[in-house]
């Protein structure tokens, strides 16, 4: 399966820095075209940079995505951004249920599920994030927690063509602590078998990403695991060498 190397820029970068970063990545890709043979690359910047980055990403062959979207289609929902707006701006992906949204904006599985339904309706591929906290892992409940999040967050129409799952243990996000390859293997195998047991269409072909302090130095081992089909990268994706270095490792 072709890997997906996805950058989650979060609320980072000034306007000129965002443009610069895409140009640098484009420059590296021009020198190393094999990177895009092995992997699809995706950048998810802040909403406000989408129109500016869309032509640059298109030129570089990098897909564009958003970090969230509304569960509503349109109307009186102040501050919200709809899936159709994202689609019109050139997005093909949207990240949903990131742990930072679950934690700071109290987003629950049911909301993630409704957002996914709307996003799919407008032709976006959703990246549904799941992952346990440190405490949940220490208490040995990590699989049970991830299974519940996964099954409650994916929408009824989920299939390999419209959904990517990102396993991001909360304790590994932005902390520099990466899950061990045994932990990642165990969880990714478990997610794959959970999808199969629940008869999710295309369960075998659905991309499963790992996220949490992924960087060039640990990417090779993680991306070599059977059920790891790419990465969702935060901090390291803010540097062109590191981001493309991860793609190279895949
Ligand atoms: P990180 O973030 O790579 O900085 O740990 C990953 C994410 O939050 O998607």
């Amino acid at each position: 399966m072709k890997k997906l190397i996805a950058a989650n820029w979060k609320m980072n970068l000034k306007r000129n820095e965002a443009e610069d970063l895409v140009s640098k990545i484009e420059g590296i890709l021009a020198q190393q075209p094999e990177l895009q043979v092995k992997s699809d690359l995706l950048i998810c910047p802040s909403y406000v940079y989408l129109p500016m980055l869309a032509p640059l990403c298109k030129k570089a062959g990098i897909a564009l995505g958003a970090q969230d979207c509304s569960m509503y289609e349109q109307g009186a929902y102040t501050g919200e951004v709809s899936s159709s707006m994202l689609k019109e701006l050139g997005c093909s992906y949207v990240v949903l249920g990131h742990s930072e949204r679950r934690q700071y904006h109290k987003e629950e599985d049911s909301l993630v599920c409704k957002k996914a339904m709307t996003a799919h309706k407008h032709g976006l591929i959703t990246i549904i994030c799941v992952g346990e906290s440190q405490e949940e892992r220490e208490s040995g409940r990590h699989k049970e927690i991830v299974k519940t999040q996964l099954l409650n967050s994916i929408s009824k129409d989920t299939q390999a063509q419209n959904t990517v799952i990102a396993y991001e243990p909360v304790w590994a996000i932005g902390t520099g602590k990466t899950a061990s390859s045994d932990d990642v293997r165990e969880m990714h195998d478990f997610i794959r078998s959970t999808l199969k047991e629940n008869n999710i269409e295309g369960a075998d072909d659905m991309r499963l990403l790992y996220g949490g302090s992924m960087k060039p130095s640990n990417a090779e081992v993680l991306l070599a695991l059977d059920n790891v089909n790419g990465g969702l990268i935060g901090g390291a994706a803010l540097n062109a060498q590191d981001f493309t270095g991860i793609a190279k490792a895949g």
Side-chain angles (χ1 to χ4, degrees):
M1 202 183 304
K2 195 170 178 188
K3 296 214 162 23
L4 175 65
I5 306 296
N8 174 12
W9 284 2
K10 310 190 182 184
M11 199 171 70
N12 287 304
L13 302 175
K14 296 198 172 118
R15 186 190 161 107
N16 62 322
E17 293 169 338
E19 241 171 350
D20 262 17
L21 182 50
V22 176
S23 303
K24 283 197 184 125
I25 295 170
E26 186 189 5
I28 297 172
L29 295 176
Q31 303 276 314
Q32 303 179 49
E34 69 281 4
L35 297 189
Q36 282 167 300
V37 176
K38 285 202 292 190
S39 308
D40 291 325
L41 300 187
L42 164 67
I43 293 180
C44 303
S46 157
Y47 286 135
V48 295
Y49 296 149
L50 290 170
M52 170 181 84
L53 296 184
L56 301 179
C57 284
K58 194 168 179 197
K59 188 160 147 261
I62 301 169
L64 191 66
Q67 298 170 16
D68 189 27
C69 70
S70 178
M71 66 177 257
Y72 300 108
E73 300 213 24
Q74 62 161 355
Y77 302 104
T78 303
E80 293 274 83
V81 174
S82 73
S83 294
S84 58
M85 291 172 183
L86 296 176
K87 190 72 189 169
E88 207 184 338
L89 290 182
C91 288
S92 39
Y93 289 84
V94 61
V95 176
L96 294 178
H98 189 282
S99 67
E100 287 150 15
R101 296 214 60 86
R102 292 177 184 268
Q103 193 180 341
Y104 306 131
H105 302 273
K106 308 282 173 278
E107 293 200 3
E108 292 184 349
D109 297 337
S110 57
L111 176 65
V112 177
C113 179
K114 286 181 192 143
K115 289 182 175 191
M117 205 63 195
T118 312
H120 293 158
K121 192 168 160 196
H122 292 279
L124 294 171
I125 301 170
T126 54
I127 301 181
I128 308 287
C129 303
V130 295
E132 81 286 357
S133 66
Q134 174 98 49
E135 189 210 330
E136 287 160 349
R137 175 155 287 265
E138 278 164 9
S139 67
R141 291 182 298 133
H142 48 288
K143 283 187 171 172
E144 179 198 321
I145 296 283
V146 166
K147 181 175 181 176
T148 308
Q149 276 183 1
L150 176 68
L151 295 177
N152 292 339
S153 299
I154 56 176
S155 53
K156 282 200 303 293
D157 64 347
T158 288
Q159 45 166 287
Q161 278 77 21
N162 65 16
T163 307
V164 174
I165 306 297
Y167 168 58
E168 299 204 304
V170 178
W171 48 272
I173 296 178
T175 57
K177 284 192 225 166
T178 320
S180 72
S181 56
D182 284 342
D183 291 344
V184 176
R185 181 190 297 109
E186 181 194 44
M187 189 60 89
H188 279 241
D189 290 354
F190 176 69
I191 291 173
R192 179 81 67 205
S193 55
T194 302
L195 292 170
K196 286 204 235 181
E197 277 160 23
N198 287 276
N199 301 315
I200 304 301
E201 205 180 317
D204 278 314
D205 303 318
M206 195 172 289
R207 279 157 155 177
L208 310 184
L209 313 184
Y210 168 77
S213 299
M214 195 183 247
K215 42 189 180 261
S217 58
N218 59 30
E220 193 171 342
V221 172
L222 296 171
L223 292 172
L225 299 171
D226 267 355
N227 281 315
V228 177
N229 315 112
L232 182 57
I233 301 126
L238 298 173
N239 175 291
Q241 288 292 347
D242 288 349
F243 182 56
T244 53
I246 292 171
K248 195 169 184 168

